[in-house]
Amino acid sequence: MMSELRARRRVNLRRLMKPKHITFVGGSHLERVVGLCRDNGFSGRMSVINPRYETLAGITCVASADDLDEAPDAAFVAMSNQLTLEAVEALSRRGAGGVICHATGYGEMGGEGIEAQNALIEASGDMALIGPNCMGLINAFDNCAMWGEYTPSEPIDDNGVALISQSGAFLYGLLSAERAFPLGYAASVGNQAVIDSADILDAVLDDPRMRAVGIYAEGLPDGPALSAALAKAMEQEVPVVLLRGGGTAASAERSLSHTGNLAVPNDFWDALIRRYALIQVDSPKQLIEATKLLAVTGVPRGNRVVVATYSGAAGTLLAEQAPQRGLELPPITREAADVLKPALEDYVTISNPFDINLPWRTDRRVSLDDPDSIAWCVETACDGIADTFVFMLDIPRQGTGGDVPWLPTIDAMILLRERIDIPVVVSPLIPEGLEPYLREKLLAAGIAPLTGFSETLDALGAAAAYGAERAAITATSAPIMATRPPASFNALNEAEGKALMAGYGLPVPSGWSGPVDQATEAAELIGFPVVMKVLSTTLLHKSKLGGVRLGLNTPVMVDEAVADMRRDLERHAPGHGLDKVLIEPMTDDAVTEVIIGLKRHAQLGLALVIGAGGVDVEEARNYGLVLLPASDRELVAVVDRLDLGLSPKATLNLIAAARSVERFALAEADRIHELDINPVLVRRDDSVIAVDALVVLGQAEEQQP
């Protein structure tokens, strides 16, 4: 549940993001910051706090926040750490809505930086503080820019993108270079000391002008809050595109050093992506193109794409590479072809991809100089078969004269967009193949001006996949569960662990545990063949230490196994001894081995681990994670991806076993330190049985005496 303090800060975040009064706090650097806000068309009130200047950027300065005649909605603070702290304290007392802290040298530095950041958090009070160590915030919908470097944006009325980034330089680079991009919001969250990506995401989702969100993330300070915001995005059918960093050990170290946020391991990111139908991309350019497409054209109804080109080579590449992105290129219907054939030159092949190859003028209906005829041609080709139309079009540079023959096609696409109810996309083969002014013209007409062959296919494939995935989710996934690891812990022996898990419905063998001198008698009662294992709370990986014997078929074999096990344990675990053992029936009809376990992340809570099991599970690395509580969709998807060759019945039984582990996890979340059920055997009759269990439990921190 959200704290009252966070709720108040979120209310103030709305003031910060759509301010009527902005105050700027700092020195001469503010000339550029204030100038940017002016140039972006901000029509509200602006004030400046600086005790040493009379005026700055043409605005009369006041000495402190106490001298302002009203509390500002937003403040941009760019000063040293100590002066920033003093300014934040003063703004909080004055009742400001929120503050952007541009300065660095806080949590990302460790040590004293963490102390300085904690002081900043305390000083912020109810204010919405973005940063520190951030570039700031741009709201292009409302012509507002509170940004640390001069980065002009274009005004936008609707169908915008929100870009949220931990890295300020990353976002600054994108916005400085990208043209014809429908930016609605840009938020650099930096160290996320008070306001984090989840808060920003929740806020932008309240703006009906916003159609898609792009996030660059490494760590996340509040997993449940992000989970709730992503669930809200799913409910509103707003696609979220994610570029992640810090999932490996090397990148995680880099993430901590530059934003002060612990990175999220890749397997947990994967689980989060699956739960909330996030669109994952691998590069900044893919992030831009995917969000642009989704904001401008919306989510396509399906994966069927009709592509037109003026290049045979482009058509060949498209036919080969589009299916690799999950895109279907349906053939143009016979009826459409019969209509088109007399309207085109005889050498034009009517196919998809469609190399139209038009002459400038002709006695046929369709010619390069006639936008209406081109629009008619494409509309006819798309009829009944397309979910999206794409024209791959490169136009020579403006001013050379070489661009003139191709410009009518731009007008044709604008006409086409008015006539058909599917997304229309125009893209050059390389990003530079369309001049920015042409991209801006297309964007204004509701056409997505994507840039680059591969980038366009990636964006189209991602959008179509999102549509299919979103349609498969019939209900919003449950929010993830915040948990805390136990402060102290102890292992159960295998018999105790299995008995505990059996109480939650996990199938386990019937067996006997007791003194080793009764092992032979117990084996005879159970019936041969049997398995014998050492019972211990300290030898947690018994098989590697000689503490397991399989396939014992006679009393003599049990006696010999006891002697051999004593020797092996003395060699591998001197002083441990062999006092108690576990005897169980031997399961010898397994067709595959699976591991079911639990893994914990500080912010994302507990996750089920399901993977190919056995003694080599670490080397195999064939597993998937599902955040708890899990949906049937997520569990089935993970099992299917393992490609274990299971029958439908075996799959259901395996999922039922996973649900048993989940029930235990939900009931004992704050006591679980470690849980590995390995192996779970899938048998020839499709039943499953857990033949080993490692359970380590503790005492929740708040329960400590």
Side-chain angles (χ1 to χ4, degrees), residues 358-377:
L358 297 174
W360 176 244
R361 289 191 178 90
T362 177
D363 57 359
R364 304 291 177 97
R365 177 171 180 177
V366 185
S367 63
L368 201 59
D369 68 337
D370 184 356
D372 185 76
S373 70
I374 299 171
W376 170 83
C377 175

Side-chain angles (χ1 to χ4, degrees), residues 30 75 88 113 159 190 246 260 339 386 391 415 445 507 615 675 693:
L30 293 180
V88 168
N159 294 358
V339 173
F391 209 120
L415 291 173
V615 295
L675 176 75

Side-chain angles (χ1 to χ4, degrees), residues 101-350:
C101 291
H102 184 51
T104 61
Y106 290 91
E108 76 278 9
M109 303 297 293
E112 293 181 359
I114 295 176
E115 295 179 10
Q117 184 161 304
N118 289 337
L120 201 62
I121 295 169
E122 181 68 23
S124 66
D126 287 351
M127 287 194 306
L129 185 147
I130 296 179
N133 185 27
C134 75
M135 290 298 295
L137 176 72
I138 294 173
N139 175 356
F141 287 127
D142 300 306
N143 306 316
C144 169
M146 296 170 283
W147 194 254
E149 290 293 341
Y150 195 87
T151 312
S153 60
E154 300 296 327
I156 184 172
D157 295 325
D158 203 352
N159 294 358
V161 174
L163 293 179
I164 306 169
S165 173
Q166 276 184 237
S167 169
F170 171 90
L171 198 49
Y172 173 53
L174 290 185
L175 300 182
S176 297
E178 193 62 40
R179 296 284 299 274
F181 180 74
L183 180 71
Y185 292 101
S188 163
V189 294
N191 292 4
Q192 305 185 85
V194 173
I195 294 298
D196 62 19
S197 296
D199 297 314
I200 300 290
L201 175 57
D202 180 79
V204 299
L205 288 169
D206 289 341
D207 193 326
R209 300 169 294 182
M210 204 275 308
R211 294 290 185 271
V213 179
I215 297 176
Y216 173 71
E218 295 163 359
L220 51 97
D222 192 328
L226 180 61
S227 165
L230 291 173
K232 182 176 178 179
M234 279 212 312
E235 290 171 359
Q236 296 179 192
E237 299 189 14
V238 174
V240 177
V241 182
L242 173 68
L243 176 61
R244 58 181 178 169
T248 64
S251 58
E253 182 178 350
R254 180 75 186 102
S255 166
L256 185 60
S257 71
H258 87 270
T259 63
N261 285 276
L262 289 172
V264 180
N266 282 336
D267 50 7
F268 273 92
W269 271 133
D270 292 340
L272 195 70
I273 288 164
R274 288 191 294 270
R275 167 155 294 191
Y276 296 109
L278 302 183
I279 300 170
Q280 182 178 196
V281 295
D282 299 319
S283 73
K285 189 59 176 172
Q286 289 178 344
L287 181 73
I288 288 294
E289 298 308 299
T291 52
K292 184 196 307 180
L293 173 67
L294 290 161
V296 176
T297 69
V299 180
R301 291 191 289 260
N303 68 337
R304 302 174 304 164
V305 180
V306 170
V307 186
T309 77
Y310 292 143
S311 164
T316 300
L317 291 170
L318 283 160
E320 178 181 352
Q321 297 189 28
Q324 297 172 9
R325 272 80 166 186
L327 300 172
E328 180 186 351
L329 298 173
I332 296 173
T333 65
R334 182 180 298 275
E335 293 79 7
D338 288 343
V339 173
L340 289 170
K341 190 172 181 59
L344 297 166
E345 299 296 325
D346 293 338
Y347 54 75
V348 175
T349 300
I350 299 172

Side-chain angles (χ1 to χ4, degrees), residues 476-493:
T476 301
S477 298
I480 61 174
M481 189 175 61
T483 66
R484 287 192 291 178
S488 61
F489 43 85
N490 295 287
L492 306 182
N493 68 38

